[in-house]
Amino acid sequence: MSARVGLIGLLVGLCAAPALADDYGAMLGYLTQSRVDGSAFSGASGALALNVAAGDLNQQTNLRAIAVGTRALASADVRQARRGDRATAPDAASAVITGRAFAGASGLAGINQASGSGNSAFNAVALALAQQGIRETDDDAALSAAFASAGQQHGFERGGATAGRRVASVESTALQGFEGVLQLNQVAGSGNDTGNVLSMSVQTGP
């Protein structure tokens, strides 16, 4: 009887071995996770900028240019470029904003969030404001411009997995009640180029 039970136990162990091997292989995989949660930036106000990335060779920037005066001129210019980069694409990548992150915040917010390899992201704002009570100026006197280009990573090469689990999400509890200008770039993957540009000129008479 004991020999029979021992044989059955051995067979069960052999059947379970492949499943354990699969789980072990998953644990050894290349995983990237970018997460903003809790009460991060909750209730904050003003000029808010967040760059967060998990992985390799990611580029991120937030630019703000604001000018106030008789002849106001504001400009923002960003160029992001890489050439010939090599990196391993993750087997699983996730970029998540959850909790009460940025809930009830206000102002000018720029968020760049990436999980993966070789991603480029930018937020650019240029604002020119002619003060009240000053002499009116022509269209060329109060100008704003934001020029930007993300990525240009045409030489980027991925080694490793070309497909896998990718998650980019903003949960319903995050960003609730935000007031103002919100720029958000969120990427899970490799070799993505994303950007937001806001350019505004405001003129008032006496």
Side-chain angles (χ1 to χ4, degrees):
M1 178 67 69
S2 61
R4 209 177 273 177
V5 172
L7 180 60
I8 292 173
L10 177 61
L11 290 174
V12 171
L14 290 174
C15 291
L20 291 175
D22 290 342
D23 291 342
Y24 185 68
M27 288 190 292
L28 294 180
Y30 177 26
L31 314 177
T32 60
Q33 182 182 58
S34 170
R35 187 177 184 88
V36 182
D37 59 14
S39 297
F41 292 90
S42 176
S45 62
L48 313 174
L50 175 64
N51 295 315
V52 57
D56 302 297
L57 304 172
N58 295 295
Q59 297 175 305
Q60 297 175 327
T61 188
N62 284 295
L63 296 182
R64 305 287 184 260
I66 300 174
V68 179
T70 304
R71 300 179 65 84
L73 173 63
S75 64
D77 194 341
V78 58
R79 296 289 187 272
Q80 295 173 322
R82 302 187 74 96
R83 291 291 185 274
D85 288 334
R86 295 175 183 271
T88 300
D91 299 310
S94 66
V96 178
I97 300 177
T98 184
R100 298 193 68 255
F102 288 91
S106 62
L108 177 59
I111 305 170
N112 293 312
Q113 184 184 29
S115 179
S117 303
N119 299 296
S120 293
F122 71 85
N123 292 307
V125 173
L127 173 62
L129 175 63
Q131 294 173 316
Q132 290 185 353
I134 65 172
R135 176 177 55 85
E136 286 190 20
T137 56
D138 57 29
D139 291 340
D140 295 330
L143 299 176
S144 65
F147 304 100
S149 162
Q152 307 288 324
Q153 300 188 73
H154 305 299
F156 176 75
E157 296 183 11
R158 292 181 295 180
T162 57
R165 187 169 183 265
R166 304 287 184 262
V167 176
S169 68
V170 178
E171 293 192 359
S172 60
T173 54
L175 303 176
Q176 280 191 352
F178 181 90
E179 295 182 351
V181 176
L182 174 64
Q183 296 176 308
L184 171 62
N185 295 307
Q186 190 180 49
V187 171
S190 299
N192 297 287
D193 305 331
T194 60
N196 292 297
V197 176
L198 173 62
S199 181
M200 183 179 297
S201 299
V202 180
Q203 298 182 38
T204 59

